[in-house]
Amino acid sequence: MSRLRFVTSGESHGPRLTAIVEGVPAGLALLAEDVDVDLARRQRGYGRGGRMKIETDRVEFIGGVRGGETLGGPIAMSIPNRDHTNWLDRMSPAPMLAQPEALTRPRPGHADLAGGLKYDRHDLRDILERASARETAPRTAVGAVCRTLLRAVGIDVFAHVVAIGPESAPPTVLPPSELRARSRTSDLACVDPVSAERMKDAIREAAHSGDTLGGVFEVIATGVMPGLGSHVQWDRKLDGRLAQAFMSIQAIKGVEIGLGFGAARVRGSEVHDAIHYDGARHAFTRPTNRAGGLEGGITNGEPVVCRVAMKPIATLKKALASVDVVTKEAYEAAFERSDVCAVAAASVVGEAMACIVLADALVEKFGGDSLGELARNVETYRAQLAGY
Ligand code: EPS
C-alpha cells in the first residue's frame, strides 16, 4: 500500500550512510538545514558515548532536489562517517592488505550471533556494523524530509522521554505545545526538570557500574486530520503501521497506542472516549484521548499518541557470558565503545519513523504529484468533513 518508501545503506564505520526516499511530491521546499536540525538533535542526549564527539552529521542531497525544491523523483541523501578514516584497516570496501582480526565473541542482546548464524559470517563485525544504531542517522534524514511535507499541511510530530530505567516522569496534563517546547530544551527530552535530574543520576550510576539503561518515550502527532489509514485491510491500519515502524528501531521492545497495555486492566467505560460535537467548529470532539487518536486503524482527529519502550543497550562494559563462535570456548562478550543510554536519541528516531508513516498515509489518501495538488486535495477533503 505504501506510496512513500525508503531504504538506507551503510555500515557504522564504513565510508558513508545513504538513504533514498521515493514518493515525495514535487515542489516541496527542502533545504539541507531542514534535515541537519534533526540529525543534530539525534546526536545529542545525556548518556551518549565517545563516538558522538567524532561525528557531526550533515546531509548532502545527491538526487531529487534542485534549487531548494523537490522534483518528485527519488530523493537520495548521503551522510559521511567521519570515524571511517580511523577504520580504513578494518572497514575498507576494497580487499585489505592484512586480514583484520575477526570479532568472534558475540554480545548477548545484539544481532551478532543470530546474524552470524544466518549469514554464515564468522567475523561478527560483518553483522554488527549494519545492525548498529548508526543506521538511525539516515532514517532520521528520511524522517526530516517527511516532517517537511507534513508541516506543509499542518501536522507536527514531536517526542518526549517519560522514563529512564526505573525513573519515571509523573503523568502530565500539559498541552502538546507546552510538552513540545519543554522537551526541546531538555538534554534528555524530558518535560519535567526534576525527573530529568533523577534520570541523569540513574544514567551516571549505570555508567559507573559498567552497565546501560533503557527507557520509554512518547511520540505525539498534532494537526492530524481524521481519515488517515483504513479499517478495510490489515496492512492499511495505521496503528499497525506505526507499531511496525517503531519496533523496527534498534533496541525497541514495546509499543503502546493511547492507553496501550493499561486499557487491558480497566473497564470499557474507562477506556473509550465519548463523542461530542462542536457546532461552531463543525467538528466532532473528544473530552479524552485514551485511544491515542486512532480508532479502527484510522486517525480520528485527536492527536496521535504512542509510547515506545527501549531496552538497555546490549554492549556492556561489565560483559555477560558468551561463547567464542570459532573455538566454542566460554568468554566474556566483546566490549565495543558504546553509549550508556540512548533513549533521548531514540526519541528523535521515533519522531522520524512516525513522520515517515504519517507522510505515507498522507500521500496514500491525497495523492498528488505536486505539493500544490496534494494541498488542494487536502482542502477539498477538509471542506467535505466540515459539511459532513
Ligand atoms: C552503536 C555503538 C556506538 C554508538 C552508535 C551505535 O558507536 P561506536 O561503536 O562507533 O562507538 O555511538 O551510534 C552511532 C554511531 C550513532 O550515530 O547513533 C551500536 O553498536 O549500535
Side-chain angles (χ1 to χ4, degrees):
M1 228 28 74
S2 240
R3 293 240 343 194
L4 192 145
R5 54 193 182 139
F6 78 98
V7 289
T8 69
S9 158
E11 285 68 45
S12 181
H13 304 99
R16 51 183 52 236
L17 300 147
T18 306
I20 299 183
V21 52
E22 190 179 18
V24 178
L28 177 71
L30 185 64
L31 302 174
E33 293 94 280
D34 297 325
V35 177
D36 290 345
V37 181
D38 280 351
L39 292 180
R41 289 177 57 229
R42 192 201 68 91
Q43 286 202 260
R44 288 195 287 263
Y46 195 84
R48 294 283 256 157
R51 175 75 184 273
M52 288 304 106
K53 295 191 178 73
I54 301 172
E55 305 295 343
T56 313
D57 292 336
R58 295 245 199 285
V59 79
E60 186 190 348
F61 290 121
I62 49 178
V65 186
R66 176 166 177 252
E69 278 196 8
T70 58
L71 299 175
I75 298 169
M77 294 177 281
S78 164
I79 302 166
N81 278 322
R82 291 172 67 165
D83 202 18
H84 179 62
T85 50
N86 304 318
W87 290 76
L88 292 173
D89 55 336
R90 286 158 290 170
M91 287 302 296
S92 170
M96 284 164 274
L97 291 176
Q99 188 64 27
E101 192 189 338
L103 203 145
T104 57
R105 288 145 64 180
R107 296 159 298 166
H110 230 286
D112 304 353
L113 181 59
L117 292 169
K118 177 175 169 66
Y119 287 90
D120 195 22
R121 309 306 292 177
H122 292 85
D123 180 355
L124 300 176
R125 181 159 298 288
D126 289 349
I127 305 302
L128 71 88
E129 282 289 335
R130 178 67 187 156
S132 164
R134 178 84 184 128
E135 188 266 338
T136 60
R139 282 206 224 189
T140 302
V142 175
V145 173
C146 293
R147 185 195 295 280
T148 312
L149 177 62
L150 293 173
R151 207 178 275 144
V153 297
I155 298 174
D156 181 55
V157 176
F158 69 94
H160 64 108
V161 170
V162 295
I164 296 285
E167 299 294 349
S168 295
T172 171
V173 288
L174 292 169
S177 57
E178 181 68 19
L179 289 177
R180 184 190 208 284
R182 288 193 184 198
S183 73
R184 289 289 165 102
T185 55
S186 159
D187 55 0
L188 264 185
C190 177
V191 301
D192 178 45
V194 177
S195 307
E197 285 312 311
R198 281 193 281 110
M199 290 171 180
K200 284 190 207 170
D201 287 344
I203 294 171
R204 270 193 296 274
E205 271 170 39
H208 194 66
S209 46
D211 223 320
T212 56
L213 277 182
V216 179
F217 60 86
E218 186 167 83
V219 182
I220 301 175
T222 58
V224 185
M225 62 286 282
L228 298 187
S230 176
H231 64 291
V232 302
Q233 199 61 264
W234 71 272
D235 59 351
R236 294 181 61 187
K237 290 177 184 270
L238 200 69
D239 38 14
R241 289 153 68 176
L242 283 165
Q244 197 275 329
F246 293 132
M247 288 297 284
S248 76
I249 301 170
Q250 290 80 344
I252 298 308
K253 283 295 188 185
V255 177
E256 294 183 313
I257 293 178
L259 271 191
F261 274 59
R265 290 192 280 270
V266 288
R267 295 185 175 183
S269 54
E270 298 166 79
V271 169
H272 302 293
D273 306 305
I275 300 172
H276 296 178
Y277 189 71
D278 180 343
R281 284 175 48 224
H282 300 286
F284 295 94
T285 60
R286 307 299 180 100
T288 53
N289 183 23
R290 299 163 185 147
L294 282 152
E295 289 171 305
I298 311 173
T299 54
N300 65 6
E302 296 296 315
V304 173
V305 183
C306 309
R307 286 192 167 210
V308 184
M310 182 185 200
K311 70 179 179 179
I313 282 165
T315 307
L316 301 175
K317 254 188 202 144
K318 193 176 72 183
L320 292 177
S322 182
V323 171
D324 188 295
V325 293
V326 176
T327 66
K328 310 295 187 289
E329 279 174 41
Y331 276 106
E332 281 184 354
F335 177 68
E336 292 247 329
R337 172 190 61 192
S338 191
D339 304 323
V340 175
C341 179
V343 179
S347 75
V348 180
V349 183
E351 290 178 12
M353 293 311 293
C355 286
I356 293 166
V357 171
L358 289 171
D360 179 33
L362 186 79
V363 293
E364 173 185 289
K365 173 138 181 67
F366 298 105
D369 295 306
S370 67
L371 181 64
E373 189 179 9
L374 182 135
R376 279 195 302 280
N377 294 346
V378 170
E379 280 318 305
T380 308
Y381 178 66
R382 287 199 201 278
Q384 175 193 310
L385 290 177
Y388 175 85

